Amino acid sequence: MDSWTLGGLELRSRLILGTGGAHSLTALERAIEASGTELVTVALRRVDPGGSGGLLEVVQRAGVKLLPNTAGCFTATEAVKLAQLAREAFETDWVKLEVIGDERTLLPDAVELVAAAQRLVDDGFTVLPYTNDDPVLARRLADAGCVAVMPAGSPIGSGLGISNPHHIELIREAVSVPVILDAGIGTASDAALAMELGCDAVLLASAVTRAEDPAAMAEAMRYAVTAGRMAAAAGRIPRRYGRALASTPEAGRPDL
Amino acid sequence: MDSWTLGGLELRSRLILGTGGAHSLTALERAIEASGTELVTVALRRVDPGGSGGLLEVVQRAGVKLLPNTAGCFTATEAVKLAQLAREAFETDWVKLEVIGDERTLLPDAVELVAAAQRLVDDGFTVLPYTNDDPVLARRLADAGCVAVMPAGSPIGSGLGISNPHHIELIREAVSVPVILDAGIGTASDAALAMELGCDAVLLASAVTRAEDPAAMAEAMRYAVTAGRMAAAAGRIPRRYGRALASTPEAGRPDL
Amino acid sequence: MDSWTLGGLELRSRLILGTGGAHSLTALERAIEASGTELVTVALRRVDPGGSGGLLEVVQRAGVKLLPNTAGCFTATEAVKLAQLAREAFETDWVKLEVIGDERTLLPDAVELVAAAQRLVDDGFTVLPYTNDDPVLARRLADAGCVAVMPAGSPIGSGLGISNPHHIELIREAVSVPVILDAGIGTASDAALAMELGCDAVLLASAVTRAEDPAAMAEAMRYAVTAGRMAAAAGRIPRRYGRALASTPEAGRPDL
Amino acid sequence: MDSWTLGGLELRSRLILGTGGAHSLTALERAIEASGTELVTVALRRVDPGGSGGLLEVVQRAGVKLLPNTAGCFTATEAVKLAQLAREAFETDWVKLEVIGDERTLLPDAVELVAAAQRLVDDGFTVLPYTNDDPVLARRLADAGCVAVMPAGSPIGSGLGISNPHHIELIREAVSVPVILDAGIGTASDAALAMELGCDAVLLASAVTRAEDPAAMAEAMRYAVTAGRMAAAAGRIPRRYGRALASTPEAGRPDL
């Protein structure tokens, strides 16, 4: 049985779900179930830990681990403070670290991100940083003690897929912690590609929550991640330019 | 349960397997099983219908339908003759029609292909033509009475995937018969993409038979085709350039 | 001085201009001049050979060779008939052969195109066929006696550039007559790429005539074609994945 | 006459040349001349300011401005120190700032780069930073007082062109200082594309110095940059999917 380890936790699912963009709690719950995920990330700004009902109950009922995130923070100071509040409220030291640099593209701010990651690691957190697709920055984050790196395939919510596959491969080579493709996934083939490029898992929100049929898309993503993972392990054929390789030789003993 | 109809036959699997390139009958048998396919295409030049053992037994044991193909034919006359021999020998009027125009790229010859297709349809065959990614040619083949059109994603055995996705979409719009992506698939994300572009099924050989682990790749392809099919039906999010869509709004009531 | 030969004619410019889409004769005249072209193609349906003024005068005043085309024809019979009328009216046996298969995409019909090309060549025409990006079809057209092949980069007027660069390279290898990229060019880098892929020239209309500033775009295309041609001849560096090549070595004697 | 301003200097050429990789001083001199450049960047480690002959003489003889660079530096401290030495030796406060994070990809280190840029700007330098294709980082560098930002199209010396065109467009929108595409250019169409994406200039070294014919490639790049610049200004046609736009209408008054 294929499994992987993230921050000391053994997981079977290689899909991580975000909750942003969901039209209703019911739709979200069905999507979580259909996805087979074991880990769901929730924006701290969006939940009331002490409140009754709502998002948290959905997550608990689904029996998945909660991963609080710092979406909406623009500085290291803000993000660290929010993470500390979350630790207390949710009794988890896991945090998906987002430090955004730009309201328009929601791409991360490299400098603030590294500073925040270092402070949170030093403070005992299990840190999963959302980063851009920069191999050098990824290595810095891994060296700082983050348990994974989570590069963007393309801007959050854009559905543009993986704009620079080569950089994802370079990140895969640059770090030994898990690489989780985070942001930009639009459809199943994007998720499969992420795994083929060497990612350990895929995190997505809008692609599922804003799809016409979120539960169906969640299931599609589940299969896609499995397909990409298996294909990466199965040893694909090389790409051949300029000359086809007949599967049926013209002469001599056929190759079967 | 998702099913589709090809030449009057109802199928559940959307994966069709070729046998060329297999290293052994055992490896092939395992791959067929892992793929979940219900239809396997075999080059007529490669089998001895009356012979004992071998490829045909594998296909029969797997309980899948045999689809003879005319790989290696360079003219309509050759292809028609071979198809007629096949009908007699295998007691099937189904034929995957290949009329190759070029030993180097193994791309089809449009003119001979249309001529052969017309003659075989007139002769009562159920014709599945391997064609290039030309929407006009695809419509000609459908108009001639072929039960499907099978455009190449890229040259046979190249593993280059789908070189011109726009043309596959145009073919999808141009015909009402099933569109089966045939040739060029290298890995799982290619197969998922084919389905997302509107194909009804994917045919592949080398991608599985020449993979390091054919059975594992066959299973990956099975999941990939399912993933792509489901994603296409689930209604993907639009692609957004230039401006990200925050899944966590900064102000006001969160969208969940 | 770089020159090339097309149908026995020596040309210096590697840009061929179409006139469709021009907003005014004045704009067209300026664009022709700025492009440096020596060959302009005109739809036969658009001109009145005996009429005074208009398109023909512009072409004559510019001192460029007229290349009548059969745009708008859907069958070989139509196209041949129109070409014959043109020969008489314009006193030229050159014809850009278009046989369209689809009003929507304006892509050529392979079967009718080959038939028309053969009949026109037999009738003494100098035939330049607009074809799709199919290497097998291109070789058929060359074998039929066409003096060039003119593959589409993408559909006419689409501005999508070269959708399948690999096929243009395969066409370049498949024929010994000039290859002229025809249709789909949107901007200068597309035209440069066409030349880098091995084309001998580029034909475009909409990219110039429908640009905001047609004369400026025509001049841009002139430079782009020159740039691509020179780059192709200058021997580009190989593409390197995964490992950068420092231009400034860290140790030892620098390479300069 | 098209000109642009960089750090208060008015320039006509939009091509900046690096010297790394040149096989001989003679070849370099010819390439500089053929390129029409007015600005040449030289690695400080490679030149001996007081020495006679060599690289510096070539640059001086060509009448171009010298732009020292800090290639080979891995920390802000190193880069700042080297820049200060250069200022004294070459009597220029211009510096192309490189702070590399990775020997393998030679991609910049975002954190050290921002630190070095800030210190050099504070120290009165005219700073041109080589950065990755991160819009947030680019804005940080511009905000720090850099006179331009110089994003990588792909890794130095890779010849992969512009891997993520969308990010170059986002950088163009994110800053008001000149954007200079630096690193990754392989051939003329890459340089034209850079300009079409909104860059003000292109910097390249290996693409010219390591080409088979450096002077010819330099001239090709000169034309390519001009072509891309003009095309960007001329207002290209939109990209149209799914439906071609006939340049020759079938019915009614032709549009010319």
Side-chain angles (χ1 to χ4, degrees):
Chain A
M1 175 74 200
D2 180 49
S3 71
W4 62 300
T5 303
L6 177 66
L9 187 70
E10 195 180 345
L11 296 166
R12 290 179 182 186
S13 169
R14 291 173 178 276
L15 195 54
I16 305 175
L17 231 58
T19 61
H23 294 303
S24 73
L25 290 175
T26 310
L28 180 64
E29 191 159 4
R30 285 190 190 142
I32 290 174
E33 195 178 347
S35 74
T37 187
E38 296 165 285
L39 194 57
V40 170
T41 183
V42 175
L44 292 166
R45 315 202 147 195
R46 203 179 275 147
V47 293
D48 170 13
S52 67
L55 192 46
L56 278 189
E57 279 190 15
V58 167
V59 172
Q60 280 155 8
R61 204 155 53 220
V64 300
K65 182 173 171 65
L66 177 75
L67 173 61
N69 71 57
T70 63
C73 292
F74 281 76
T75 65
T77 304
E78 264 186 282
V80 168
K81 202 171 293 173
L82 195 58
Q84 285 163 341
L85 286 173
R87 177 163 57 180
E88 215 165 310
F90 298 109
E91 297 175 352
T92 175
D93 58 12
W94 283 44
V95 64
K96 181 191 165 195
L97 177 62
E98 294 190 28
V99 191
I100 298 305
D102 185 321
E103 286 190 39
R104 176 158 187 180
T105 63
L106 298 176
L107 288 168
D109 181 314
V111 176
E112 295 289 318
L113 179 65
V114 168
Q118 192 62 68
R119 281 154 66 182
L120 288 171
V121 168
D122 291 348
D123 194 16
F125 280 88
T126 297
V127 182
L128 299 97
Y130 163 61
T131 176
N132 60 36
D133 66 356
D134 175 349
V136 176
L137 187 58
R139 214 197 43 222
R140 268 193 175 268
L141 292 164
D143 289 349
C146 296
V147 300
V149 292
M150 307 178 72
S154 51
I156 292 175
S158 70
L160 295 175
I162 300 177
S163 297
N164 194 343
H166 186 39
H167 271 207
I168 301 301
E169 290 176 310
L170 291 174
I171 288 174
R172 170 67 293 168
E173 294 171 16
V175 303
S176 54
V177 295
V179 176
I180 302 170
L181 202 287
D182 180 3
I185 297 292
T187 186
S189 57
D190 299 334
L193 176 60
M195 301 304 291
E196 290 162 0
L197 293 170
C199 292
D200 298 89
V202 170
L203 189 158
L204 46 82
S206 302
V208 160
T209 59
R210 295 186 201 274
E212 285 176 30
D213 183 342
M217 188 58 92
E219 194 178 353
M221 291 298 182
R222 179 183 196 161
Y223 286 122
V225 165
T226 299
R229 171 74 184 167
M230 293 188 74
R236 63 158 290 160
I237 55 171
R239 289 178 182 82
R240 297 168 60 94
Y241 288 90
R243 187 170 286 280
L245 182 65
S247 54
T248 308
E250 301 259 324
R253 195 174 155 279
D255 56 359
L256 180 82
Chain B
M1 177 71 201
D2 181 51
S3 71
W4 62 300
T5 303
L6 177 66
L9 187 69
E10 195 181 346
L11 296 166
R12 291 180 183 186
S13 168
R14 290 175 178 276
L15 196 53
I16 304 175
L17 230 58
T19 60
H23 294 302
S24 72
L25 290 175
T26 311
L28 180 64
E29 190 159 7
R30 285 190 191 142
I32 289 174
E33 194 177 348
S35 74
T37 188
E38 297 166 285
L39 195 56
V40 170
T41 183
V42 176
L44 292 167
R45 315 201 147 198
R46 202 178 276 147
V47 294
D48 170 11
S52 67
L55 192 46
L56 278 189
E57 278 190 16
V58 166
V59 171
Q60 279 155 8
R61 204 154 52 220
V64 298
K65 183 174 172 64
L66 177 74
L67 174 60
N69 70 57
T70 62
C73 293
F74 280 77
T75 64
T77 304
E78 265 188 281
V80 168
K81 202 171 295 173
L82 195 58
Q84 285 164 341
L85 286 174
R87 178 162 57 180
E88 217 166 307
F90 299 109
E91 297 175 352
T92 175
D93 58 12
W94 283 45
V95 64
K96 181 190 165 195
L97 177 62
E98 293 191 30
V99 191
I100 298 306
D102 185 321
E103 286 190 40
R104 176 158 188 180
T105 64
L106 298 177
L107 288 168
D109 182 315
V111 175
E112 295 288 319
L113 179 64
V114 168
Q118 192 63 67
R119 281 154 65 184
L120 288 171
V121 168
D122 291 348
D123 194 16
F125 280 88
T126 296
V127 182
L128 298 96
Y130 164 61
T131 175
N132 61 36
D133 66 356
D134 174 349
V136 176
L137 187 58
R139 215 198 41 223
R140 268 193 176 269
L141 292 164
D143 289 350
C146 296
V147 299
V149 293
M150 308 179 68
S154 51
I156 291 176
S158 70
L160 295 174
I162 300 176
S163 297
N164 194 345
H166 186 39
H167 271 206
I168 302 301
E169 289 177 309
L170 291 174
I171 289 173
R172 170 67 294 169
E173 293 171 16
V175 302
S176 55
V177 295
V179 176
I180 302 170
L181 201 289
D182 180 2
I185 297 291
T187 185
S189 56
D190 298 335
L193 176 59
M195 300 305 292
E196 291 162 0
L197 293 169
C199 292
D200 298 88
V202 170
L203 189 158
L204 46 81
S206 303
V208 161
T209 58
R210 297 186 200 273
E212 284 176 30
D213 183 340
M217 188 58 92
E219 194 177 355
M221 292 298 183
R222 178 184 197 163
Y223 286 122
V225 165
T226 300
R229 171 74 183 166
M230 294 189 74
R236 63 158 290 161
I237 56 172
R239 290 177 181 84
R240 296 168 61 93
Y241 289 90
R243 186 170 286 281
L245 182 65
S247 54
T248 308
E250 301 258 323
R253 196 174 154 280
D255 56 2
L256 183 80
Chain C
M1 176 73 202
D2 180 50
S3 71
W4 61 301
T5 302
L6 177 66
L9 187 69
E10 196 181 345
L11 296 166
R12 292 180 181 184
S13 168
R14 289 174 179 276
L15 196 54
I16 304 176
L17 231 57
T19 60
H23 295 300
S24 73
L25 290 175
T26 310
L28 180 64
E29 189 159 6
R30 285 190 189 139
I32 290 174
E33 195 178 347
S35 74
T37 188
E38 296 165 286
L39 194 56
V40 170
T41 183
V42 176
L44 293 166
R45 315 200 147 197
R46 202 178 276 147
V47 292
D48 171 13
S52 67
L55 192 46
L56 278 189
E57 278 191 17
V58 166
V59 171
Q60 279 155 8
R61 205 155 52 221
V64 299
K65 182 173 173 63
L66 177 75
L67 174 60
N69 70 58
T70 63
C73 292
F74 281 77
T75 64
T77 304
E78 264 188 281
V80 168
K81 202 171 294 174
L82 196 58
Q84 285 162 341
L85 287 173
R87 178 163 55 180
E88 216 166 308
F90 299 110
E91 297 176 349
T92 176
D93 58 11
W94 284 45
V95 64
K96 181 190 164 195
L97 176 62
E98 294 190 28
V99 191
I100 298 306
D102 185 322
E103 286 190 40
R104 176 158 188 181
T105 63
L106 298 177
L107 287 168
D109 182 313
V111 175
E112 294 289 318
L113 179 65
V114 167
Q118 192 62 67
R119 281 153 66 183
L120 288 171
V121 168
D122 292 348
D123 194 16
F125 280 87
T126 297
V127 182
L128 299 97
Y130 164 62
T131 175
N132 61 36
D133 65 356
D134 174 350
V136 175
L137 187 57
R139 214 197 42 220
R140 269 192 176 268
L141 292 164
D143 289 350
C146 296
V147 299
V149 292
M150 309 179 69
S154 50
I156 291 176
S158 70
L160 295 174
I162 300 176
S163 297
N164 195 344
H166 186 40
H167 271 206
I168 302 300
E169 289 177 310
L170 291 174
I171 289 174
R172 171 66 293 166
E173 292 171 16
V175 302
S176 55
V177 295
V179 177
I180 302 170
L181 201 288
D182 180 3
I185 297 291
T187 186
S189 56
D190 299 334
L193 176 59
M195 300 304 293
E196 290 163 0
L197 293 169
C199 292
D200 298 88
V202 170
L203 189 158
L204 46 82
S206 302
V208 160
T209 59
R210 296 187 200 272
E212 285 177 29
D213 184 341
M217 188 58 93
E219 194 178 354
M221 292 297 184
R222 178 184 195 162
Y223 286 122
V225 164
T226 300
R229 171 75 184 165
M230 293 188 73
R236 63 157 291 160
I237 56 172
R239 289 178 181 82
R240 296 167 61 94
Y241 289 91
R243 187 170 285 280
L245 182 65
S247 54
T248 307
E250 301 257 325
R253 194 173 157 282
D255 57 359
L256 181 78
Chain D
M1 175 74 202
D2 180 50
S3 71
W4 62 300
T5 303
L6 177 66
L9 187 69
E10 195 181 347
L11 295 166
R12 290 181 182 183
S13 169
R14 290 172 178 277
L15 195 53
I16 305 175
L17 231 58
T19 61
H23 295 302
S24 73
L25 290 174
T26 310
L28 180 63
E29 191 159 5
R30 285 189 191 141
I32 290 175
E33 195 177 347
S35 74
T37 188
E38 297 165 286
L39 195 57
V40 170
T41 184
V42 176
L44 292 166
R45 315 202 147 195
R46 202 178 276 148
V47 293
D48 170 13
S52 67
L55 192 47
L56 278 189
E57 277 189 18
V58 167
V59 172
Q60 279 155 7
R61 205 155 51 220
V64 299
K65 183 173 172 64
L66 177 76
L67 174 60
N69 71 58
T70 63
C73 291
F74 280 77
T75 65
T77 304
E78 262 187 282
V80 168
K81 202 171 293 172
L82 196 59
Q84 285 164 341
L85 286 173
R87 177 162 58 180
E88 217 167 307
F90 299 109
E91 297 176 350
T92 176
D93 58 11
W94 284 44
V95 64
K96 182 191 165 193
L97 177 61
E98 294 190 28
V99 191
I100 298 307
D102 186 321
E103 285 190 40
R104 176 158 187 181
T105 63
L106 299 176
L107 288 168
D109 181 314
V111 175
E112 295 289 317
L113 179 65
V114 168
Q118 192 62 68
R119 281 153 66 182
L120 289 170
V121 168
D122 291 348
D123 194 16
F125 280 88
T126 297
V127 182
L128 299 96
Y130 164 62
T131 176
N132 61 35
D133 66 356
D134 175 349
V136 176
L137 187 58
R139 214 197 43 221
R140 269 194 176 266
L141 292 164
D143 288 350
C146 296
V147 299
V149 293
M150 307 178 70
S154 51
I156 292 176
S158 70
L160 295 174
I162 300 177
S163 297
N164 194 344
H166 186 40
H167 271 207
I168 301 301
E169 289 177 310
L170 290 173
I171 289 174
R172 171 68 291 169
E173 293 171 15
V175 302
S176 54
V177 295
V179 177
I180 302 170
L181 201 289
D182 181 3
I185 296 291
T187 185
S189 56
D190 299 335
L193 176 59
M195 301 304 292
E196 289 163 0
L197 294 169
C199 292
D200 297 88
V202 170
L203 189 158
L204 47 82
S206 303
V208 160
T209 59
R210 295 187 201 273
E212 284 176 30
D213 183 341
M217 188 58 92
E219 194 178 354
M221 292 298 183
R222 179 184 196 162
Y223 286 122
V225 165
T226 300
R229 171 74 183 166
M230 293 188 75
R236 63 158 290 160
I237 55 170
R239 290 177 181 83
R240 297 167 61 93
Y241 289 89
R243 186 171 286 280
L245 182 65
S247 54
T248 308
E250 302 259 322
R253 195 175 154 281
D255 56 0
L256 180 83

